[in-house]
Amino acid sequence: MGSIMEASLFTRKLETEIGGGVQRLKSQGHTPSLTVIVVGNSPSTMVYFKNMAHKGVELGFYVELRKVDDSVGSAEVLQLIHRLNDSNDVDGILVGLPLPKEYDVESILHAISPDKDVDAFHPFNMGQLMIGKPRFIPATARSIIALLENYGVRIQGKNAVVVGRSTIVGKPVACLLLQRDATVTICHSKTVDLINYTREADILVVSMGRPKAITAEYVKEGAAVIDVGINHIEGKIVGDVDFDGVRPKASLITPVPGGVGVLTTLMLFDNVLKAARLNVERL
Ligand code: GUN
């Protein structure tokens, strides 16, 4: 029976490290800050970012939630981003995703200064990651690697299969695994016979957005299985992995909720801290 990878076991240590970094900057007269732009009126999106802001404040950051009515359009959001880019008081900028569909996501995300891009979605930061010299790393991808490392999973030389090729999770985590000398395969919705790939995975990262799609027959005996899925089914949150079915076969498995998601906000604020240090060096 596989052990459950519990992120909460090492969040305290991470929080202490981040909190300490925040206090050091504060003692130099700079309070690290994040501005979150939330476009539209989706209550669940607002709840998500309010929770994120709450955690940031708890860690000592200054966090500002800028709610923008979804009638304003891309141009006004771009103007706001430019103002924030120019403000010395703002260290990190994040635009809440998903954006309402009439917005041009790429032009908005790419308008954020790469120095303040704490999501690491800007092509410059993506490129740095691609060449193996990451500055900011997307929070979810970092959380996945942190879980593997904290549970002592050997990555070098292992077959790592990533199911899902998104810019936010799949591609960055594949880069990080490759950087750590895994043999990496990226599968996606057009992959033929997915099972033939996943069954060879020593490390299986699943981010496909299909509830419980990965069942026991997809998994190699002894694999470490990381489930990034968040699906809302009948008022409950379930992952992309059939946890109960897969657990007996895996050596390690993340629960949903309680797995990767527990770490992502902390990793995000660690990026804000890094952005603040960069900002202080520039000032
Ligand atoms: N929506 C849910 N999580 C995130 C995140 O980490 N960054 C952004 N920009 N949007 C999100």
Side-chain angles (χ1 to χ4, degrees):
M1 182 68 82
S3 301
I4 299 176
M5 299 168 97
E6 288 195 50
S8 57
L9 292 182
F10 50 95
T11 48
R12 178 90 33 100
K13 180 168 171 276
L14 202 52
E15 283 175 1
T16 307
E17 282 169 13
I18 297 170
V22 170
Q23 292 315 319
R24 275 191 291 282
L25 276 183
K26 280 184 166 173
S27 68
Q28 294 168 32
H30 184 89
T31 300
S33 80
L34 170 70
T35 299
V36 181
I37 303 172
V38 183
V39 183
N41 302 307
S42 156
S44 62
T45 305
M46 208 54 204
V47 167
Y48 179 86
F49 287 105
K50 274 191 176 154
N51 286 338
M52 175 190 274
H54 185 75
K55 176 52 80 180
V57 170
E58 218 176 83
L59 291 166
F61 291 86
Y62 175 75
V63 185
E64 192 163 327
L65 272 182
R66 298 286 284 260
K67 200 168 172 301
V68 177
D69 197 87
D70 64 4
S71 62
V72 300
S74 289
E76 213 161 304
V77 176
L78 287 171
Q79 266 179 18
L80 172 58
I81 291 172
H82 293 313
R83 279 201 303 277
L84 297 169
N85 281 345
D86 290 340
S87 165
N88 288 339
D89 294 335
V90 176
D91 297 313
I93 305 169
L94 182 151
V95 176
L97 299 177
L99 277 168
K101 58 181 179 307
E102 56 277 20
Y103 284 79
D104 179 0
V105 180
E106 256 185 24
S107 71
I108 287 175
L109 294 184
H110 297 183
I112 297 171
S113 161
D115 294 333
K116 301 190 178 191
D117 169 38
V118 290
D119 265 331
F121 297 157
H122 189 284
F124 177 81
N125 288 317
M126 281 283 161
Q128 290 293 118
L129 179 62
M130 186 88 191
I131 64 170
K133 294 191 168 56
R135 192 172 54 158
F136 299 119
I137 300 173
T140 306
R142 255 188 95 186
S143 304
I144 294 165
I145 299 295
L147 273 169
L148 290 169
E149 289 180 345
N150 274 279
Y151 275 87
V153 176
R154 192 178 159 79
I155 298 177
Q156 188 178 53
K158 297 295 179 187
N159 280 342
V161 175
V162 179
V163 187
R165 57 176 154 180
S166 70
T167 309
I168 292 169
V169 181
K171 285 178 194 162
V173 78
C175 281
L176 293 176
L177 289 162
L178 190 59
Q179 217 181 314
R180 286 159 179 75
D181 299 321
T183 302
V184 182
T185 306
I186 306 179
C187 299
H188 47 78
S189 54
K190 303 292 188 293
T191 297
V192 176
D193 295 332
L194 175 66
I195 196 167
N196 290 343
Y197 298 91
T198 58
R199 264 203 303 231
E200 296 300 318
D202 303 306
I203 297 167
L204 180 60
V205 178
V206 189
S207 177
M208 59 201 293
R210 283 183 35 212
K212 299 189 181 184
I214 298 298
T215 50
E217 64 267 27
Y218 280 79
V219 177
K220 181 179 174 178
E221 195 76 45
V225 180
I226 309 276
D227 187 354
V228 192
I230 297 177
N231 307 285
H232 298 266
I233 303 287
E234 293 162 3
K236 276 175 57 183
I237 293 176
V238 301
D240 292 349
V241 174
D242 171 21
F243 182 85
D244 294 332
V246 168
R247 188 177 171 199
K249 225 168 162 185
S251 61
L252 289 163
I253 185 166
T254 58
V256 175
V260 178
V262 173
L263 287 178
T264 51
T265 301
L266 292 180
M267 294 299 181
L268 189 272
F269 278 105
D270 196 46
N271 280 344
V272 178
L273 184 58
K274 188 176 263 189
R277 289 194 184 115
L278 282 172
N279 195 11
V280 167
E281 278 170 25
R282 269 193 311 271
L283 289 176

